[in-house]
Amino acid sequence: MVQEHETLTNEYQLRYTLDSFYQRTKVAMEENQIPKFKNLLEIIRSEVVILTAIHNIKANTGSITAGSDGETMRENILEKDYPEVISRIQEGLEHYKPKPVRRVYIPKQNKSEKRPLGIPTVIDRIIQECVRIVVEPICEAQFFNHSYGFRPMRNADMAMARATTVVLRTGYSWVVEGDIKGFFDNVNHTILIKRLWHMGIRDRRVLMVIKEMLKAGIMNEIKVNPIGTPQGGILSPLLANVYLDALDQWITREYEQKKFTKKYGKRNRQHLLKKKKFKPAYFIRYADDWILITDSEQNARKWKCRIQKYLKTNLKLELSEDKTLITNIKKKPICFLGFEYKSVRGQSVTGWIPKIRPNRKRLKEKVKEIHKVIQRIRKFKMDNKNGLVHEINRINSMIRGTIQYYETATWVNLDLAKYAPVLKYAAYKSLKKFGGEWGPANETYNLPSVHSNYTSYVAFITFENMKIGITGLDFCKWKRSVIKQQEESPFSPKGRELYNKRMKKKPLLARADDLLSLHMSSLIATKRASKLYNFEYFLNRAYTYNRDKGKCKVCGIEPEANEIHFHHVEPKLPISLVNRVNNLSTVHIRCHKMIHDGNDYKHIDKKIWSKIQKFRAKLN
């Protein structure tokens, strides 16, 4: 195992170290001890962590957005010299002083209010991601089982599944719907840093880095932020869970995890809890949205008062009186995570079953948004067919995203089918001027995994002899929600295996150690003279290697680590395109020489010679 004071050199060591942090924390918790991790900054500033952080941010759609200093991921990181980027991040961590965040405002669900979003600079985003990578496994091992927001391998669907499990098993119908007033704007920095210390982050330098992040000012508004954590910061979601974990642990200690002097089995525990008249409380949290399920209106009111008092006293937070509601779900639905949840008569042990449907108000707003985007197609020019196809793909992505979010709702088919004709007709009207027609969905070229199952008509255009259609909102089927397996985690081999099995994913090849380990000074030194070999080149080798399954694209053999080269397919492309993954190929060193030396290799294997010729044809 790599200790905190040791330097990481490759991704295998990083994964092993993060797994060990998670396991050590789990063991400490089982022994009722607080885990203690020191010398974390050395790991955070290691090259492999910085590389992983940039990989993660680069994959995020928001990576192209500039912060308050105007710097972007492409121009100021990917197209810069490799050692320059690494040194800049490492030096930034030494005496960390973040730049002010750039604040933008985005509409909330009700459209009348706006949510502030803080955008840190690119360098600050990378530093935040480095910290998150190392701190997250320590926190994850301690978080409450039934908090689902902003956590890896968890989603809103699982929170709804937990609510259903509790309601079906207990028959309880009284729910406190919680709303914390301005949560992100009111996080107390001192309390948060103490929470991190209590959870085992005992490297004071790391705590100071986090404190500086929290205090970062807002461009053109304030120099130092005395309270709150900016929404939009990469580390903010993890810190939000750290802060509210105190609430989770307190509520569960009062009922679900109530400790007794003797150990009891599950049934005996439940009997004892009822006998001693403890107030039932099944707590489910998703970020700052939460519900508490209990057995009576009286207990619901008591729990609301207790939580209100706890938040004010211990976390300096307030419940919103208007939005924190007490509801009997047998009479009226609650609104939680974009769904309406109600109990109706049906066949079950308790005689009641859940009826879940999309929140009608939110669904209506989403449909309006999609409708407007469809109508904007009419402004496209007749000769811009490529742009039109791109816009159709974007619209389809919005429609499929809506379906996938709501597909676990029991009434999803009926609710979405109401709006499908409106969107289909709007699609037809918008595509008509481009030669749009009606036709069966299963005859279109795009979205084959969906469209092949439907014969109902959709609007489509013909592009290069292919029918490209705008999909239907009614192309959905109910999907059973997934109950979270608590052992599923990104920080253990078994946890990753369970996740891959659930998602039906095959794990990627581990990136070759020598590609990511940064014993690459000689390679970097020889390449530095050419702008072609910038940071993006070194970053994308791993993606290229995984895509090619570690085999040479010329001879098909797996080269040894010291024999691997990466060939630029079209080396004269602009710097912004030349080092993209689709322009790189994994090749054996000898095959790479054969591509470039111009010699005749007719005497070698015909397939290999043919591939060499194809690569040569693209060099000019």
Side-chain angles (χ1 to χ4, degrees), residues 326-339:
I326 292 173
T327 307
N328 183 342
I329 56 173
K330 289 178 180 176
K331 295 179 180 178
K332 185 182 173 184
I334 59 165
C335 292
F336 185 49
L337 305 180
F339 293 88

Side-chain angles (χ1 to χ4, degrees), residues 68-184:
S68 59
D69 60 359
E71 290 193 346
T72 64
M73 175 63 80
R74 171 145 299 284
E75 289 182 10
N76 301 97
I77 301 295
L78 300 179
E79 293 176 11
K80 292 294 181 183
D81 195 30
Y82 181 89
E84 179 189 335
V85 173
I86 297 296
S87 297
R88 190 176 174 195
I89 306 300
Q90 289 176 334
E91 287 166 13
L93 275 159
E94 283 301 307
H95 304 286
Y96 186 57
K97 289 290 176 188
K99 292 185 178 178
V101 299
R102 183 165 69 86
R103 178 168 276 186
V104 296
Y105 291 87
I106 56 171
K108 287 189 177 182
Q109 290 295 333
N110 59 17
K111 304 289 183 182
S112 60
E113 295 179 51
K114 290 193 174 183
R115 186 190 306 280
L117 195 67
I119 303 171
T121 65
V122 170
I123 293 295
D124 289 332
R125 271 177 262 174
I126 295 168
I127 289 174
Q128 285 193 32
E129 179 63 6
C130 290
V131 173
R132 186 201 64 79
I133 287 167
V134 176
V135 169
E136 186 174 54
I138 300 166
C139 300
E140 267 294 314
Q142 301 174 69
F143 284 154
F144 170 49
N145 283 349
H146 301 298
S147 83
Y148 296 93
F150 303 147
R151 292 182 64 188
M153 300 183 180
R154 292 170 182 254
N155 54 40
D157 178 36
M158 291 171 176
M160 298 304 294
R162 171 62 180 169
T164 296
T165 301
V166 170
V167 169
L168 286 175
R169 194 179 72 224
T170 63
Y172 296 162
S173 62
W174 286 95
V175 178
V176 183
E177 301 173 64
D179 186 273
I180 299 171
K181 192 186 290 183
F183 168 68
F184 284 93

